[in-house]
Amino acid sequence: MSSQNRTIQEALSAIERSQRLKRISWLLGLAVVVALTYGGLQVLNFSLEMLARQQDNFFAAIADFVPPNFVELSLYSKTNEVEGLGGVLQTLTHPGTFAETFTTEAGRNGTILGLSFITIVIGFTGTVLGFPLALVFGILGSERVVPFPFNFVFRGTMSTIRAIPALVWILIYIPLAGITPLSAMLAVATDTIGNLGRLFTDELEEIDEGPIEAISSTGADRPQIISFGMLSQVSTSFVAWTLYILEINTRIAISLGVYGAGGIGQYIDTRIALGAYDRGAAGIAMVIFIVLTVELLSSRIRARLRPGEHEGKGFVDSLRDLGNPKKWLGVGDTTKDSKN
């Protein structure tokens, strides 16, 4: 019995030592992070005193953005010089002007709605054009598909693309297309290849061996094993990651506009540079609306791709859910609401 107690005590002592070492490691790590952060603030000349001195100027500048002026929201509000929030109300009460805003050169390049449309087109088109190469590189970059070290040719290519941000890619494409929405789209597409391709590769590394062995046992060739044994396991994840990258690309398209590549980002940059802060605030409000809308749509589509989330639900019920605010917000039990 004493021998057994001694064994238990030794095991408990080992666990205590392990936990003690873990706590010490966490504390040391935290101390290192704090020290590095403090050093970084010193390098950047961070000073609370300086911020306190500038806060009055900061709040005064913020006050210039309020209230936002939506006079350039649409061709109707711009032509009739409808100032402030009236630009939104008048645009909504005259929906016939939307087609003219989106289809004419003056509408696309001179109004908030038109430039926002350009931004969305840049993000969406760049994602779609980058997807095929991202898929190819992502598959070939997996060690399950291409043996080591040959798969690192594709991994290295994706890493190189990711190392160069989209803000630099657009500079690379200037000799080809200038600083235009086209060069912004090419930058987004190139960035998509690296980011989305890497996500695809990581997904393939985590798949189960069971389906692969089952397909192999039937005498399937290599392409069939990849298609039915590997890609069939990650198809839903691939779609979800693509939607996630679309969200990111929409934000990137806005940032590229500040470079002068068109879209709502260029509108905000131009208006602020001219001192029209209230109009710049209207552009910022539209950016928030775009980002939230794209994120909401993407998150709801990803939710519907989850296994079992909507089993046994008919087409009519699915359409009814689209009009259910609780379902879009993801709160409460909406099963009864959709049946009533």
Side-chain angles (χ1 to χ4, degrees):
M1 183 67 68
S2 60
S3 175
Q4 184 177 5
N5 289 336
R6 188 163 52 249
T7 302
I8 293 174
Q9 289 297 327
E10 291 175 354
L12 291 174
S13 299
I15 293 174
E16 289 177 359
R17 285 195 301 271
S18 175
Q19 291 178 343
R20 192 180 304 114
L21 289 173
K22 187 178 294 185
R23 285 194 294 269
I24 293 173
S25 298
W26 275 105
L27 290 174
L28 288 175
L30 180 61
V32 170
V33 171
V34 171
L36 291 175
T37 303
Y38 178 78
L41 293 175
Q42 296 304 309
V43 170
L44 299 174
N45 296 320
F46 175 80
S47 170
L48 289 175
E49 181 182 355
M50 181 272 292
L51 294 181
R53 288 197 308 268
Q54 296 296 325
Q55 66 175 353
D56 291 338
N57 294 333
F58 173 74
F59 289 119
I62 293 297
D64 292 335
F65 286 86
V66 181
N69 186 356
F70 290 91
V71 64
E72 296 176 317
L73 180 65
S74 65
L75 275 181
Y76 180 86
S77 61
K78 186 176 181 179
T79 303
N80 293 278
E81 298 183 353
V82 184
E83 301 278 343
L85 292 176
V88 179
L89 298 176
Q90 290 298 319
T91 298
L92 293 176
T93 55
H94 294 81
T97 63
F98 279 96
E100 188 179 3
T101 298
F102 292 129
T103 56
T104 63
E105 192 72 19
R108 287 197 302 268
N109 295 322
T111 64
I112 293 176
L113 287 176
L115 291 168
S116 299
F117 175 70
I118 294 296
T119 295
I120 295 172
V121 169
I122 291 172
F124 176 80
T125 309
T127 303
V128 172
L129 293 183
F131 175 82
L133 280 178
L135 182 63
V136 172
F137 279 66
I139 294 173
L140 297 179
S142 172
E143 194 171 342
R144 292 178 178 271
V145 178
V146 177
F148 177 84
F150 302 106
N151 67 314
F152 262 75
V153 173
F154 304 98
R155 278 181 173 267
T157 301
M158 290 186 291
S159 297
T160 302
I161 293 173
R162 289 200 314 277
I164 304 174
L167 291 173
V168 176
W169 278 115
I170 193 173
L171 298 179
I172 296 174
Y173 287 123
I174 285 178
L176 179 64
I179 304 182
T180 62
L182 177 59
S183 60
M185 183 272 293
L186 293 174
V188 170
T190 306
D191 201 55
T192 298
I193 296 171
N195 292 327
L196 187 58
R198 175 56 189 270
L199 294 172
F200 287 168
T201 297
D202 290 343
E203 281 291 334
L204 283 171
E205 298 292 345
E206 302 297 328
I207 59 178
D208 296 330
E209 289 289 344
I212 300 175
E213 294 174 355
I215 295 295
S216 300
S217 65
T218 63
D221 55 21
R222 187 62 178 168
Q224 291 174 327
I225 293 173
I226 294 173
S227 298
F228 301 105
M230 298 182 186
L231 296 182
S232 60
Q233 296 187 55
V234 295
S235 58
T236 300
S237 298
F238 277 16
V239 174
W241 281 123
T242 303
L243 292 172
Y244 172 70
I245 292 297
L246 175 60
E247 295 178 26
I248 295 177
N249 285 346
T250 303
R251 297 182 178 93
I252 291 175
I254 295 169
S255 301
L256 294 177
V258 179
Y259 259 30
I264 191 64
Q266 184 174 1
Y267 175 87
I268 296 172
D269 180 61
T270 303
R271 295 303 177 271
I272 292 178
L274 294 174
Y277 298 109
D278 55 346
R279 300 190 182 192
I284 294 173
M286 179 57 69
V287 165
I288 296 173
F289 176 77
I290 292 172
V291 171
L292 291 180
T293 301
V294 172
E295 186 169 345
L296 179 61
L297 291 173
S298 175
S299 65
R300 298 320 304 159
I301 294 174
R302 290 202 303 271
R304 291 179 176 276
L305 292 174
R306 297 188 193 115
E309 174 109 351
H310 302 277
E311 284 185 2
K313 187 170 293 187
F315 178 72
V316 175
D317 290 333
S318 298
L319 289 179
R320 191 177 298 159
D321 280 345
L322 293 177
N324 190 335
K326 293 182 179 180
K327 196 65 181 175
W328 282 90
L329 295 174
V331 296
D333 182 9
T334 59
T335 304
K336 294 181 180 180
D337 295 338
S338 63
K339 290 181 179 180
N340 293 335

